[in-house]
């Protein structure tokens, strides 16, 4: 870390937490002080095993991870988290980085890769980017969960009509496909629009895409 006394931009993001994994106790303490000075919560771990043994916070977070650790390396931990389906944005830090290591980390989804010693502001900027990425991911996940919940309120027939409509079939074609009247198709289609809270048919098509329902291709 740098010894500069220049003002630091405040990058606090809600109740976000930075998870620091580094086997250097002095650096963990310094990083903790830095993040707390700009109102960012922090948890520190001396090894990958310590992090994996802990219950991760259910808030936006990012992982500030040293590449070279005692035991499992930072890249090993990155691979382990991916295998577990844990989607935490990672900022790597190292004093011994090389191009191959950087490429490996970035290809595996790392947000940034910074070399020690680094400027405090550069680190804060990288962490702010990672925290914002996790916030957006969590918001997207919440929206998709709400969308799935609305889709589950559809009756089997409404879901069937919706599925055929977003594939590009006209009401008359849907009626012939499933053996009901065109008027009944319109009713089911209207109910599906209302329950899905789709203001337009284009909205309904977009929702179907997000749900993984097959839609018409231009």
């Amino acid at each position: 870390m740098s010894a500069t006394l220049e003002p630091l931009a405040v990058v606090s993001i809600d109740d976000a937490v930075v998870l620091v994994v580094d086997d250097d106790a002095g650096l963990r303490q310094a990083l903790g002080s830095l993040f707390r000075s700009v109102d960012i919560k922090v948890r520190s771990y001396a090894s990958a095993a310590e992090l994996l043994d802990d219950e991760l916070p259910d808030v936006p977070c990012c992982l500030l991870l040293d590449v070279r650790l005692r035991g499992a390396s930072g890249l090993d931990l990155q691979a382990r988290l991916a295998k577990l389906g844990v989607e935490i944005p990672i900022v790597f830090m190292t004093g011994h980085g090389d191009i191959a290591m950087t490429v490996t980390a970035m290809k595996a989804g790392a947000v940034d890769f910074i070399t020690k010693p680094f400027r405090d502001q550069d680190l804060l900027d990288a962490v702010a980017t990672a925290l914002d990425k996790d916030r957006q991911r969590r918001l997207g996940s919440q929206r998709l969960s709400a969308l799935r919940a609305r889709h589950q309120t559809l009756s089997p027939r409404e879901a069937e009509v919706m599925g055929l409509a977003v594939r590009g079939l006209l009401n008359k074609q849907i009626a012939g496909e499933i053996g009901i009247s065109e008027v009944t198709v319109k009713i089911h289609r209207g109910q599906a629009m209302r329950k899905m809270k789709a203001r337009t048919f284009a909205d309904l098509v977009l929702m179907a895409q997000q749900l993984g329902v097959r839609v018409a291709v231009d």
Side-chain angles (χ1 to χ4, degrees):
M1 293 174 63
S2 66
T4 179
L5 296 179
E6 64 186 88
L8 299 176
V10 175
V11 293
S12 178
I13 302 180
D14 305 327
D15 291 324
V17 177
V18 179
L19 309 174
V20 176
V21 183
D22 196 296
D23 53 21
D24 183 332
L27 182 58
R28 292 199 306 274
Q29 183 176 4
L31 290 172
S33 296
L34 172 63
F35 291 127
R36 285 189 290 271
S37 75
V38 291
D39 297 323
I40 298 178
K41 296 176 182 177
V42 60
R43 292 189 189 179
S44 296
Y45 307 90
S47 67
E50 281 190 15
L51 174 75
L52 292 171
D53 285 342
D54 196 12
E55 182 176 352
L56 299 180
D58 188 20
V59 296
C61 59
C62 76
L63 183 57
L64 182 57
L65 178 59
D66 194 358
V67 169
R68 298 180 184 273
L69 298 168
R70 296 186 182 94
S73 71
L75 294 177
D76 291 336
L77 177 57
Q78 181 186 35
R80 176 63 175 163
L81 291 173
K83 186 174 292 186
L84 292 172
V86 179
E87 300 180 68
I88 298 179
I90 298 175
V91 175
F92 275 105
M93 53 184 177
T94 182
H96 311 280
D98 57 23
I99 293 176
M101 189 181 295
T102 303
V103 170
T104 299
M106 299 304 282
K107 279 187 175 181
V111 174
D112 210 339
F113 196 104
I114 58 177
T115 303
K116 303 172 185 175
F118 41 75
R119 293 176 63 250
D120 292 347
Q121 192 61 60
D122 291 341
L123 177 63
L124 291 173
D125 289 344
V127 164
T129 297
L131 289 175
D132 188 60
K133 181 177 181 179
D134 198 50
R135 175 204 267 171
Q136 296 305 317
R137 179 191 65 80
R138 293 173 64 85
L139 285 174
S141 179
Q142 291 168 6
R143 292 190 184 108
L144 182 58
S145 294
L147 195 60
R148 286 173 175 159
R150 293 202 297 271
H151 190 253
Q152 289 174 357
T153 67
L154 270 60
S155 69
R157 183 66 84 186
E158 289 164 354
E160 183 179 24
V161 168
M162 172 182 163
L164 292 170
V166 299
R167 282 170 50 191
L169 275 68
L170 301 175
N171 289 342
K172 183 177 181 179
Q173 294 172 312
I174 296 172
E177 179 80 15
I178 59 180
I180 60 176
S181 71
E182 190 173 348
V183 171
T184 303
V185 169
K186 290 180 181 179
I187 293 173
H188 288 315
R189 183 167 171 165
Q191 284 290 88
M193 292 274 291
R194 181 183 63 81
K195 290 181 179 180
M196 293 300 296
K197 298 183 180 179
R199 292 175 296 178
T200 66
F201 182 66
D203 287 342
L204 190 67
V205 172
L206 180 59
M207 292 175 182
Q209 289 177 323
Q210 294 171 339
L211 290 167
V213 176
R214 186 160 68 91
V215 300
V217 178
D218 293 337

